[in-house]
């Protein structure tokens, strides 16, 4: 390892940024392995890292892992985009017009705390088994938060910008395009990051009940087959994809004008 | 600022001035600020304020008066019977104790707020609302932070059809405030003084009839304050538009204004209107008339000034 030979502090620090998290992961795997060896539990109940890795290999080879990951990602993507496409414009309208806010806000605030999972029975009744109920649940999980976050972002725009717009004779659409949208982007990106994490949580839960595919279904199905190694593969995959989604969201918009 | 000194020195054959401000009236104005009243009546930069009154309703007070549906709140008079007239091309400075409603008055004249009663007539027409002909420079920074200097200066020129003329105009006004080279910088990358200059360029680029400035030097360090002040004086002399500035710096008013207005405490009335005919560039210390006026204004605002 070259980093211990160099005396330049910066290089060690840069390496430490990637090294330290790795140490944590390695430590967790070691403790995991040691626990099983010391406790003497059956690997059927508590699979070792090696068996999980084998499970990973098997599921990748026969294509199951890819199929279920794609199924989950597809549902999250569709449900999330639907929520974005409807929620952000509605939030912009609510944030701008007091009467619209009075019309919708109480309903939204009432529906928001109801867990999307509580909708599962109704969703299955309305949409049957398949992608639709899951997409509907994802949509519910993201929509209300996005509407509320966008509306608050619009309301908190510095009123001076609207006065500047009035002074320079902006049309209604110019106000939306040149003032509101750029002004709310930082808050909305934060909301998107939080929301996609929730959507990802919900899709796994929804797939355990409403559908026959996806990582949630993989976990449930593997439990029924008593394959705890596959259960763990599913969990690890969920974690990895969640991490990836957050990284994508974080890189989504890098705003030049933000200090 | 050297730019302006140059402009002042060789007034008449200024190259920027002729392309930027093609209307003949302006060159006339820049040499002579004081006009005959008869000719002003129809001028677009002529402002008349008649019986302006502004009341606010204090709703917090209303909430305390329970069970009285008629009382919708305590009425607070901010401006009471203000009558003023400003001539085309004048630089007017409005002074007054803090909280007296100077800014409110300016915002009403600019059309951002409605008067309770009274009339504001600009260029012979009643003020209906904000207008691109009357640009307001805000106390806080009014630049759009997501746009660079170029786009901010071009904000009022969106409807210009001729792309080349538009680009030329933007470039010209960025040059005017000496920010060439910063076209693609965003406001956060500029100092407070530079931001003010961008805002001035943006306001001037639309060639407004009137310019309103609400404490435009607030938040600047002292030297920048003086520099921007000099710049505003030069710009005014150069374009000859009516400018109305609210300030709490008495020295600024005395150095800059063609006319000063001193307001009283609430309910605010006009305490003094004075036309300043002092020669420019002005120096308060060296001009005994100005120092005398300064002491008078300070006294009027409740400070017995000791130089």
């Amino acid at each position: 390892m070259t980093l211990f030979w160099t005396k330049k502090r910066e290089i060690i620090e840069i390496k430490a940024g990637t090294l330290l998290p790795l140490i944590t992961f390695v430590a967790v795997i070691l403790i995991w392995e040691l626990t099983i060896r010391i406790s003497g539990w059956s690997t059927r109940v508590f699979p070792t890292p090696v068996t999980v890795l084998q499970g990973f290999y098997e599921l990748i080879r026969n294509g199951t892992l890819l199929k279920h990951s794609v199924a989950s990602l597809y549902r999250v993507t569709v449900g999330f985009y639907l929520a974005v496409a409807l929620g952000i414009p509605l939030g912009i309208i609510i944030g701008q017009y007091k009467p619209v806010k009075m019309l919708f806000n109480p309903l939204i605030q009432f529906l928001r705390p109801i867990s999307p999972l509580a909708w599962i029975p109704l969703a299955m009744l309305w949409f049957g088994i398949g992608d639709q109920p899951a997409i509907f649940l994802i949509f519910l999980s993201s929509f209300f938060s996005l509407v509320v976050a966008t509306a608050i972002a619009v309301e908190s725009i510095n009123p001076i910008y609207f006065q500047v717009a009035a002074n320079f004779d902006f049309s209604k659409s110019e106000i939306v395009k040149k003032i509101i949208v750029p002004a709310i982007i930082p808050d909305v990106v934060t909301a998107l990051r939080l929301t996609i994490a929730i959507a990802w949580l919900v899709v796994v839960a929804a797939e355990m009940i409403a559908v026959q595919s996806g990582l949630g279904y993989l976990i449930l199905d593997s439990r029924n087959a008593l394959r705890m190694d596959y259960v763990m593969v599913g969990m690890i995959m969920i974690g990895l994809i969640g991490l990836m989604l957050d990284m994508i969201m974080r890189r989504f918009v890098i705003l030049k004008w933000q200090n | 600022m050297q730019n302006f000194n140059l402009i002042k020195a060789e007034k008449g054959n200024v190259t920027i001035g002729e392309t930027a401000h093609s209307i003949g009236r302006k060159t006339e104005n820049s040499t002579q600020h004081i006009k005959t009243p008869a000719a002003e009546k129809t001028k677009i930069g002529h402002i008349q304020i008649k019986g302006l009154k502004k009341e606010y309703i204090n709703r917090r007070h209303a909430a305390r008066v329970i069970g009285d549906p008629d009382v919708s709140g305590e009425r607070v008079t901010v401006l009471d019977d203000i009558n003023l007239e400003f001539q085309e091309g004048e630089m007017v400075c409005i002074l007054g104790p803090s909280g007296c409603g100077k800014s409110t008055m300016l915002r009403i004249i600019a059309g951002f707020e409605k008067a309770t009663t009274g009339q504001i007539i600009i260029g012979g027409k009643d003020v209906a609302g904000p207008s691109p002909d009357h640009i307001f420079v805000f106390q806080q920074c009014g630049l759009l932070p997501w746009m660079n200097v170029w786009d901010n200066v071009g904000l009022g020129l969106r409807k210009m059809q001729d792309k080349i003329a538009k680009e030329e105009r933007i470039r010209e006004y960025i040059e005017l405030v000496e920010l060439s080279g910063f076209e693609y910088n965003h406001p956060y990358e500029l100092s407070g003084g530079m931001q003010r200059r961008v805002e001035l360029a943006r306001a001037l680029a639309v060639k407004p009839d009137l310019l309103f400035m609400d404490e435009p030097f607030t938040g600047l360090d002292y030297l920048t304050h003086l520099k921007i002040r000099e710049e505003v004086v030069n710009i005014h002399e150069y374009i000859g538009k009516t400018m109305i500035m609210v300030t709490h710096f008495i020295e600024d008013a005395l150095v800059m204004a063609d006319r000063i207005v001193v307001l009283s405490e609430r309910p605010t009335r006009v305490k003094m209107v004075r036309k300043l005919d002092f020669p420019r560039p002005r120096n308060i210390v060296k001009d005994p008339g100005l120092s005398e006026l300064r002491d008078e204004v300070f006294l009027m605002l409740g400070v017995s000034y000791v130089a």
Side-chain angles (χ1 to χ4, degrees), chain A residues 160-161 163-164 166-170 174 178-179 182-183 256-257 259, chain B residues 107 112 131-132 134 136 138 140 142-146 156 158-159 188:
Chain A
I160 281 190
Y161 300 145
Q163 286 164 5
V164 169
N167 206 167
F168 286 103
D169 204 19
F170 275 42
E174 277 179 318
K178 293 189 172 158
I179 309 279
K256 254 197 292 176
W257 56 270
N259 209 346
Chain B
R107 296 169 55 76
F112 286 109
S131 151
H134 311 154
F136 198 101
F138 292 92
Q140 288 165 275
L143 297 175
L144 302 182
W146 44 86
R158 305 178 320 282
K159 283 168 191 152
Y188 75 91

Side-chain angles (χ1 to χ4, degrees), chain B:
Chain B
M1 278 130 283
Q2 286 163 341
N3 244 358
F4 291 116
N5 294 335
L6 199 80
I7 289 159
K8 272 202 291 186
E10 43 178 314
K11 211 182 292 163
N13 58 344
V14 185
T15 45
I16 308 171
E18 276 160 5
T19 48
H21 306 284
S22 48
I23 311 167
R25 188 185 71 236
K26 276 149 229 151
T27 42
E28 186 193 331
N29 278 352
S30 60
T31 50
Q32 189 191 352
H33 289 278
I34 307 128
K35 295 291 178 60
T36 53
E40 318 263 353
K41 289 294 179 195
T42 52
K43 290 281 175 78
I44 43 175
H46 177 266
I47 301 174
Q48 207 170 5
I49 302 164
K50 285 185 187 167
L52 171 64
K53 190 171 180 178
K54 178 73 181 175
E55 282 176 344
Y56 280 119
I57 290 162
N58 189 346
R59 295 208 184 274
R60 220 180 261 165
H61 179 80
R64 268 185 265 129
V65 187
I66 302 159
D68 189 350
D70 292 334
V71 178
S72 59
E74 184 194 24
R75 282 180 175 276
V76 181
T77 306
V78 186
L79 300 168
D80 193 13
D81 195 30
I82 307 272
N83 292 288
L84 286 166
E85 193 175 352
F86 306 136
Q87 306 302 341
E88 160 105 12
E90 266 186 342
M91 164 71 89
V92 180
C93 288
I94 298 168
L95 290 160
S98 65
C100 77
K102 315 185 277 286
S103 291
T104 309
M105 186 170 114
L106 197 67
R107 296 169 55 76
I108 292 172
I109 304 172
F112 286 109
E113 280 183 45
K114 291 262 176 286
T116 309
T117 55
Q119 236 185 334
I120 313 288
I121 302 159
I122 297 180
K125 285 180 205 144
D126 274 327
V127 172
S131 151
D133 296 329
H134 311 154
I135 298 298
F136 198 101
V137 177
F138 292 92
Q139 188 177 358
Q140 288 165 275
C141 186
L143 297 175
L144 302 182
W146 44 86
M147 289 184 183
N148 59 28
V149 169
W150 181 274
D151 291 336
N152 262 299
V153 173
L155 209 61
L157 308 174
R158 305 178 320 282
K159 283 168 191 152
M160 264 177 91
Q161 294 295 328
D162 188 349
K163 281 254 163 68
I164 297 160
K166 182 180 160 183
E167 274 180 24
E168 245 167 45
R169 179 98 69 97
I170 296 173
R171 191 166 295 124
E172 192 182 304
Y173 280 89
I174 290 174
E175 263 169 37
L176 184 78
V177 295
E178 298 184 332
L179 282 173
S180 305
F182 292 96
E183 286 89 347
Y184 303 108
N185 287 86
H186 282 74
Y188 75 91
E189 295 169 299
L190 307 176
S191 68
M194 286 157 100
Q195 291 180 2
R196 276 297 130 87
R197 301 218 296 263
V198 177
E199 221 174 328
L200 276 174
R202 181 176 78 181
L204 295 169
V206 299
K207 300 186 179 176
D209 303 332
L210 281 166
L211 202 63
F212 298 102
M213 289 177 283
D214 187 5
E215 300 189 14
F217 310 129
T218 308
L220 300 177
D221 65 85
Y222 188 56
L223 271 180
T224 314
H225 174 152
L226 295 184
K227 281 179 185 167
I228 303 274
R229 180 174 82 184
E230 195 186 337
E231 223 160 309
V232 172
V233 168
N234 290 340
I235 285 173
H236 176 250
E237 195 160 324
Y238 169 45
I239 67 169
K241 298 284 175 72
T242 313
M243 291 190 186
I244 303 184
M245 186 173 101
V246 160
T247 180
H248 52 253
F249 292 105
I250 291 162
E251 286 86 352
D252 286 352
L254 295 177
V255 169
M256 298 169 80
D258 296 315
R259 190 188 293 268
I260 58 169
V261 175
V262 182
L263 300 176
S264 70
E265 277 167 22
R266 274 204 240 168
T268 306
R269 289 161 200 268
V270 178
K271 235 178 177 176
M272 180 177 98
V273 183
R274 185 76 59 89
K275 198 158 188 171
L276 307 191
D277 291 330
F278 300 96
R280 293 167 189 272
R282 289 179 185 161
N283 186 319
I284 299 176
V285 181
K286 286 182 187 160
D287 191 325
L290 267 177
S291 346
E292 210 172 282
L293 182 60
R294 175 192 60 188
D295 293 352
E296 190 186 334
V297 174
F298 264 114
L299 259 178
M300 199 170 272
L301 294 171
V303 183
S304 37
Y305 189 82
V306 186

Side-chain angles (χ1 to χ4, degrees), chain A residues 25-43:
Chain A
F25 275 105
V26 172
V28 166
I29 292 168
L30 277 176
I31 292 167
W32 177 6
E33 178 78 36
L34 278 174
T35 316
I36 294 159
R37 293 214 179 162
I38 293 165
S39 67
W41 279 335
S42 160
T43 50

